[in-house]
């Protein structure tokens, strides 16, 4: 399997593959909750609403997906502006926050029509590992479901 997740941690890709199909949805949801709780992104209404909708309805409406992607763009723009200003601390903070929001974006399937839950989990796990600055917490989440 060739995917960017293999560059982070060799066992991470294997764990993603070991999550049973019937556990993909809860694993994705738990990963999103974990990364949003651990990475200081603040209390974003867009993310909270999308994750609540995902939990209660099993999917997120297109408007919710667009709102999360818009929030992602805002954080990426903050990182870009901070880099241009030479503010390394603000740039890193915004960059890792953007990775956490991008994890959620993959979890809810924003702009990813036709992608399988396993493909979304690969990308979400990668983004979460970057947001956490290491794979440890992601391995813990995946272990819970991979058995």
């Amino acid at each position: 399997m060739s995917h960017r997740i293999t560059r982070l941690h060799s066992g991470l890709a294997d764990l993603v593959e070991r999550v049973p199909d019937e556990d993909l949805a809860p694993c994705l949801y738990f990963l999103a909750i974990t990364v949003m709780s651990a990475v200081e992104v603040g209390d974003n209404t867009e993310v909270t609403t999308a994750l609540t909708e995902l939990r209660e309805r099993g999917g997120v409406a297109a408007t919710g997906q667009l709102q999360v992607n818009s929030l992602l763009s805002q954080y990426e723009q903050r990182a870009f502006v901070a880099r241009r200003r030479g503010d390394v601390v603000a740039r890193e903070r915004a960059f890792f926050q953007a990775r956490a929001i991008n994890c959620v974006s993959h979890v809810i399937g924003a702009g990813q029509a036709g992608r399988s839950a396993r493909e979304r989990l690969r990308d979400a796990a990668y983004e979460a590992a970057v947001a956490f600055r290491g794979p440890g917490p992601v391995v813990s989440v995946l272990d819970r479901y991979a058995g």
Side-chain angles (χ1 to χ4, degrees), residues 3-5 16-17 21 24-29 31-32 51 54 58-60 65 102-128 142:
H3 187 276
R4 63 188 179 152
I5 198 170
V16 168
E17 296 308 312
D21 290 344
L24 288 170
C27 183
L28 280 160
Y29 178 77
L31 182 60
L51 290 175
L54 180 65
V60 178
Q65 293 176 4
N102 200 18
C103 171
V104 172
S105 180
H106 286 292
V107 166
I108 66 172
Q112 301 176 20
R115 293 193 63 229
S116 73
R118 188 157 321 272
E119 289 174 296
R120 290 185 296 122
L121 181 57
R122 282 185 200 110
D123 287 325
Y126 176 88
E127 293 293 339
L142 295 173

Side-chain angles (χ1 to χ4, degrees), residues 19-33 141 145:
V19 174
D21 290 344
E22 63 272 11
D23 289 337
L24 288 170
C27 183
L28 280 160
Y29 178 77
F30 189 61
L31 182 60
I33 294 297
V141 170
Y145 293 94

Side-chain angles (χ1 to χ4, degrees), residues 6-49:
T6 59
R7 292 183 296 221
L8 285 180
H9 181 274
S10 60
L12 206 54
D14 293 334
L15 281 172
V16 168
E17 296 308 312
R18 288 190 4 228
V19 174
D21 290 344
E22 63 272 11
D23 289 337
L24 288 170
C27 183
L28 280 160
Y29 178 77
F30 189 61
L31 182 60
I33 294 297
T34 302
V35 76
M36 290 306 294
S37 297
V39 178
E40 296 177 22
V41 181
D43 192 16
N44 297 103
T45 305
E46 300 88 348
V47 172
T48 303
T49 301

